[in-house]
């Protein structure tokens, strides 16, 4: 039995922190793991910026609700979910992704969670597991699934390579160049056709 595992940011929705930085008018939040490779440090810094701006979960979700999925993503996902099982696997947080999941028709999302105080202040975060994308794909395989995975970034490569088939979608020139054996797509229709071909 097949299951498709998709990355979220860059594939179905824009990079959430970059879009959020623009929607909220807080340019500091554009800082990513490219600028601060220590993810815990980066997240704690982001949470302190949110606190400084008086942004609790409610305000953040209202801002994220102004961000839209990438054009064509919802239609792609609807059709894919009508023919096979799909899980979106992301390093983001359920509460941040929620407004975008609503716009995508509530697909299954495996990601991380924020710790939120009763007054809405975000006090911390909890990562679900190490190497969440590869760990999840391996766990699915251990219960009888064959995985087909796709993503745009370095942290997707392990899950892409671990399964029966894997694709790059809207990746960078460098990643495509470094992984010439991985089929790479830019448009949802050709991406969907490739997945359908693997599904048979
Ligand atoms: Mg991505």
């Amino acid at each position: 039995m097949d299951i498709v595992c998709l990355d979220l940011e860059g594939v179905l929705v824009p990079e959430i922190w970059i879009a959020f930085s623009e929607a909220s008018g807080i340019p500091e939040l554009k800082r990513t793991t490219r600028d601060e490779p220590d993810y815990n440090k980066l997240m704690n810094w982001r949470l302190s910026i949110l606190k400084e701006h008086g942004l609790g979960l409610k305000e953040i979700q209202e801002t994220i609700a102004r961000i839209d999925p990438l054009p064509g993503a919802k239609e792609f996902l609807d059709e894919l979910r009508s023919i096979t099982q799909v899980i979106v696997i992301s390093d983001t947080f359920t509460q941040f992704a929620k407004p975008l999941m609503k716009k995508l028709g509530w697909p299954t999302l495996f990601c991380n969670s924020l710790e939120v105080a009763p007054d809405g202040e975000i006090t911390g975060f909890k990562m679900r597991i190490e190497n969440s994308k590869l760990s999840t794909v391996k766990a699915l395989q251990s219960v009888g699934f064959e995985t087909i995975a796709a993503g745009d970034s370095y942290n997707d490569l392990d899950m892409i390579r671990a399964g029966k088939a894997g694709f790059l979608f809207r990746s960078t020139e460098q990643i495509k160049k470094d992984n010439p054996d991985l089929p790479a797509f830019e448009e949802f229709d050709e991406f969907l056709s490739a997945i359908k071909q693997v599904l048979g």
Side-chain angles (χ1 to χ4, degrees):
M1 178 149 186
D2 294 304
I3 193 161
V4 176
C5 300
L6 295 176
D7 173 39
L8 176 65
E9 296 176 62
V11 172
L12 299 172
V13 308
E15 292 291 334
I16 291 177
W17 283 101
I18 292 178
F20 179 68
S21 161
E22 280 157 13
S24 64
I26 308 174
E28 303 99 287
L29 291 176
K30 281 213 172 75
R31 201 165 159 202
T32 68
T33 45
R34 285 187 296 271
D35 313 296
E36 173 50 74
D38 182 333
Y39 189 75
N40 278 345
K41 218 167 143 185
L42 178 66
M43 266 311 297
N44 283 319
W45 179 81
R46 284 166 167 168
L47 295 184
S48 73
I49 299 276
L50 296 178
K51 194 175 175 179
E52 220 172 85
H53 286 263
L55 294 173
L57 183 60
K58 187 169 159 277
E59 294 77 23
I60 293 166
Q61 287 182 330
E62 282 168 3
T63 310
I64 292 178
R66 294 204 291 268
I67 302 168
D68 283 321
L70 295 172
K74 166 86 164 57
E75 294 73 13
F76 160 80
L77 202 53
D78 283 347
E79 187 168 349
L80 187 59
R81 290 169 71 200
S82 77
I83 54 178
T84 190
Q85 296 300 311
V86 180
I87 299 181
V88 179
I89 306 176
S90 171
D91 288 332
T92 190
F93 301 93
T94 37
Q95 296 96 330
F96 284 167
K98 198 175 174 186
L100 287 160
M101 292 302 107
K102 185 179 179 186
K103 293 184 184 182
L104 287 172
W106 301 112
T108 300
L109 171 68
F110 286 4
C111 63
N112 304 296
S113 55
L114 295 167
E115 293 165 346
V116 184
D119 68 354
E121 187 196 329
I122 299 168
T123 52
F125 59 96
K126 190 165 187 319
M127 304 304 281
R128 189 164 50 83
I129 193 171
E130 285 278 301
N131 278 326
S132 69
K133 297 187 189 220
L134 180 62
S135 308
T136 302
V137 155
K138 287 200 161 161
L140 290 166
Q141 290 167 353
S142 80
V143 291
F145 287 103
E146 290 199 276
T147 60
I148 299 161
D152 70 331
S153 278
Y154 285 105
N155 66 347
D156 299 308
L157 290 172
D158 287 345
M159 78 162 175
I160 289 174
R161 291 199 172 281
K164 156 179 176 177
F167 306 104
L168 293 171
F169 186 69
R170 297 195 182 163
S171 192
T172 65
E173 287 310 316
Q174 190 61 51
I175 293 177
K176 286 189 270 188
K177 210 174 117 204
D178 293 343
N179 298 273
D181 57 316
L182 293 179
F185 300 104
E186 304 299 321
E187 299 303 329
F188 282 113
D189 54 351
E190 52 181 14
F191 182 29
L192 185 63
S193 301
I195 296 173
K196 280 182 178 171
Q197 232 169 28
V198 177
L199 293 169

